[in-house]
């Protein structure tokens, strides 16, 4: 029997001031998905779908939020302030923070964003048979399609 629980912490973003810039995560265009699937079919490439679990919890915050600790943080911490270091659901900029974090990760592993659709990422690679092609990663918030030979 499993007794583990998953808690979902949500920030009261509706109680904070409106941010200055965009706060949304990007989404790939429907046309880009169609083109990528056609590209995969014409070139005999595989298509893999991925969901990033607890996505927002992986992104560093762009704003300073804190909580007042309750008894769930230990009796010695009750009433103390704690700085939140990772994005939480409900925060004004949580979607944008995750999107920026994911973009930085894509750059880090060598992918370039497509000028026509910034949520399509591509990298030139060589097939096992020596032919050249592009790997594509299409991002819809925390859902990803990968077009690749492997």
């Amino acid at each position: 029997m499993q007794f583990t629980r998953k808690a979902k912490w949500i920030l009261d973003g509706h109680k904070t001031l409106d941010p200055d810039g965009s706060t949304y995560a990007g989404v790939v265009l429907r046309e880009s998905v169609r083109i990528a699937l056609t590209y995969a079919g014409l070139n005999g490439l595989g298509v893999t779908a991925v969901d990033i679990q607890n996505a927002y919890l992986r992104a560093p915050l762009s704003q300073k939020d804190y909580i007042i600790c309750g008894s769930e943080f230990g009796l010695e911490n009750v009433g103390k302030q704690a700085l939140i270091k990772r994005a939480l659901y409900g925060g004004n900029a949580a979607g944008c923070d995750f999107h920026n974090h994911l973009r930085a990760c894509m750059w880090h592993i060598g992918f370039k964003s497509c000028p026509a659709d910034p949520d399509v990422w591509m990298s030139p690679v060589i097939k096992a048979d020596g032919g050249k092609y592009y790997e594509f990663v299409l991002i819809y918030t925390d859902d990803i399609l990968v077009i690749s030979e492997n």
Side-chain angles (χ1 to χ4, degrees), residues 28 32-33 35-40 43 45-50 106 109 111-115 117 119-125 132-139 144-150:
V28 67
S32 297
V33 174
I35 292 168
L37 293 174
T38 302
Y39 175 81
N43 291 289
L45 301 174
V47 178
T48 304
V50 177
M106 293 302 294
I109 62 174
F111 279 80
K112 302 277 188 253
S113 181
C114 176
D117 185 346
D119 291 303
V120 173
W121 293 81
M122 53 194 169
S123 176
V125 291
K132 295 179 182 178
Y133 78 104
Y134 277 89
E135 285 182 328
F136 288 96
V137 176
L138 292 78
I139 301 172
I144 296 175
L145 275 181
V146 179
I147 310 294
S148 176
E149 182 180 41
N150 299 325

Side-chain angles (χ1 to χ4, degrees), residues 2-137:
Q2 177 106 347
F3 288 109
T4 58
R5 300 284 186 263
K6 181 177 175 182
K8 187 171 187 179
W9 290 66
I10 300 174
L11 209 59
D12 287 333
H14 66 286
K15 295 180 181 177
T16 60
L17 298 174
D18 290 334
D20 295 332
S22 173
T23 61
Y24 298 101
V27 294
V28 67
L29 299 172
R30 182 179 14 200
E31 292 79 10
S32 297
V33 174
R34 289 181 179 156
I35 292 168
L37 293 174
T38 302
Y39 175 81
L42 292 173
N43 291 289
L45 301 174
V47 178
T48 304
V50 177
D51 177 56
I52 301 173
Q53 302 226 339
N54 301 320
Y56 287 8
L57 303 180
R58 306 193 187 291
L61 279 174
S62 62
Q63 58 193 32
K64 300 262 186 213
D65 290 315
Y66 71 94
I67 61 167
I68 307 295
C69 295
S71 60
E72 65 272 15
F73 291 94
L75 294 176
E76 67 278 4
N77 293 318
V78 172
K80 292 183 180 177
Q81 292 183 359
L83 183 65
I84 299 171
K85 296 214 172 208
R86 297 288 178 184
L88 293 178
Y89 294 98
N92 279 348
C96 186
D97 289 344
F98 174 71
H99 187 251
N100 291 337
H101 177 66
L102 191 53
R103 289 182 63 82
C105 291
M106 293 302 294
W107 276 104
H108 180 75
I109 62 174
F111 279 80
K112 302 277 188 253
S113 181
C114 176
D117 185 346
D119 291 303
V120 173
W121 293 81
M122 53 194 169
S123 176
V125 291
I126 298 175
K127 281 186 171 183
D129 65 6
K132 295 179 182 178
Y133 78 104
Y134 277 89
E135 285 182 328
F136 288 96
V137 176

